[in-house]
Amino acid sequence: MAQDCPAPIPVCAGDCNTDAEVTIEELIAGVLIALGSSSLSRCAPMDRDGNGEVTIDELVVGAGSALQGCPLEAGGIYEVQVCGDERFRVHIQDSETLELAERILAGKEQPKIVTGELRCGHGNFNGPWSWHLDPATVGFADIAIELCDACPSFVEEELDYWLHTVARYCPWTAEIVRRVR
């Protein structure tokens, strides 16, 4: 499905699971691919030039992403916890919405319902899910209808229904837990 779904941000060097961060586990995966001990399918984003192999310079770029964070032209990416321990990520572009997200994180504002229009594909920030919220539509609400409330795993299981019938996501128990970048 991801091939038909445009991503609003470019994939980060070494971000194997497309969650907008590069971890030590992803760097190790890149090293194993470079050594020939693992398949490129384990971490295709480590192969920056698309030549089918991982080289030292690509590992260095991946390490830079791990240390400095993945570049982001505009806005911020936030991790949202919902349904106990499930998490998803949103890319917020609007400056007022960004300010509100930061106030919520700092405890200066009451938590609100994260909401936005659903799009196919992980967007290069909401992996491992095969959906994301359109960054141009992400916002916060005090109340929302039950129709758009669900756990991320349920959206994933019934993706066609959610994308084409519901079209919006507003999990009532959502809580922003951190800014990713």
Side-chain angles (χ1 to χ4, degrees):
M1 176 177 258
Q3 299 88 359
D4 303 322
C5 305
I9 64 170
V11 69
C12 182
D15 183 14
C16 304
N17 63 359
T18 59
D19 69 353
E21 288 184 289
V22 177
T23 64
I24 190 69
E25 291 82 10
E26 289 167 314
L27 294 175
I28 291 169
V31 169
L32 292 173
I33 295 165
L35 293 173
S37 300
S38 187
S39 165
L40 182 59
S41 64
R42 184 167 176 199
C43 188
M46 196 64 78
D47 179 19
R48 299 287 293 160
D49 62 11
N51 69 353
E53 59 187 30
V54 174
T55 58
I56 296 295
D57 61 317
E58 290 168 323
L59 291 172
V60 169
V61 173
S65 296
L67 292 171
Q68 299 167 4
C70 298
L72 185 63
E73 288 182 23
I77 296 176
Y78 293 82
E79 189 167 78
V80 180
Q81 186 170 336
V82 64
C83 300
D85 62 351
E86 289 190 33
R87 294 176 183 231
F88 69 98
R89 293 178 180 205
V90 293
H91 178 199
I92 299 174
Q93 294 178 331
D94 177 70
S95 60
E96 289 180 21
T97 307
L98 276 167
E99 289 173 15
L100 179 55
E102 291 298 323
R103 288 195 310 272
I104 292 170
L105 270 177
K108 296 177 181 175
E109 185 86 32
Q110 288 293 324
K112 297 186 181 299
I113 300 169
V114 177
T115 184
E117 294 176 12
L118 282 163
R119 299 290 183 259
C120 66
H122 48 65
N124 289 337
F125 61 87
N126 196 36
W129 307 113
S130 56
W131 56 269
H132 68 279
L133 298 184
D134 180 347
T137 69
V138 174
F140 294 98
D142 291 318
I143 58 173
I145 63 172
E146 189 175 2
L147 176 67
C148 58
D149 176 34
C151 296
S153 57
F154 186 72
V155 174
E156 187 74 19
E157 290 170 15
E158 303 292 332
L159 189 59
D160 189 58
Y161 169 76
W162 278 87
L163 288 172
H164 300 104
T165 303
V166 180
R168 185 163 204 80
Y169 188 48
C170 63
W172 291 0
T173 61
E175 178 183 343
I176 293 181
V177 293
R178 71 183 180 103
R179 184 173 181 155
V180 175
R181 60 179 188 170

